[in-house]
């Protein structure tokens, strides 16, 4: 996800990780936002949210500390 635009939705993360979509996954993303690791964007669907993962330590962990996907992006660009 981080190497492909740096944005994801909770359901995409759950499918990737092989876990059930539910309360625990939503709480996980809420903690990412609280810790300023991710930034939420409202998506086209009323309840859906996109999350932009931008924390340097995460990108360093995958060997891409200066990835262009860490940079802030406009909400419209995130939804493309």
């Amino acid at each position: 996800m981080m190497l492909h635009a740096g944005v994801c939705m909770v359901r995409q993360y759950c499918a990737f990780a092989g876990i059930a979509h539910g309360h625990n996954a939503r709480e996980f993303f809420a903690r990412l936002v609280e810790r300023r690791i991710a930034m939420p964007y409202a998506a086209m669907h009323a309840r859906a949210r996109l999350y932009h993962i931008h924390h340097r330590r995460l990108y360093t962990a995958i060997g891409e500390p200066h990835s262009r996907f860490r940079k802030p992006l406009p909400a419209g660009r995130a939804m493309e």
Side-chain angles (χ1 to χ4, degrees):
M1 293 178 296
M2 291 171 24
L3 293 177
H4 185 69
V7 294
C8 71
M9 298 177 78
V10 175
R11 65 181 169 81
Q12 290 173 319
Y13 170 74
C14 291
F16 171 78
I19 60 174
H21 182 270
H23 177 74
N24 290 340
R26 288 189 304 270
E27 286 295 316
F28 172 69
F29 276 87
R31 285 192 308 271
L32 291 178
V33 171
E34 179 182 306
R35 294 176 182 171
R36 297 183 178 161
I37 295 171
M39 178 177 223
Y41 291 96
M44 301 300 262
H45 189 274
R47 295 183 319 211
R49 288 201 179 230
L50 286 170
Y51 292 90
H52 176 232
I53 310 299
H54 58 81
H55 200 274
R56 176 173 275 177
R57 285 187 181 173
L58 292 177
Y59 281 92
T60 299
I62 62 170
E64 296 284 334
H66 304 292
S67 173
R68 64 188 167 120
F69 299 127
R70 285 190 57 239
K71 296 178 183 172
L73 57 147
R77 180 82 173 141
M79 290 182 232
E80 286 182 356

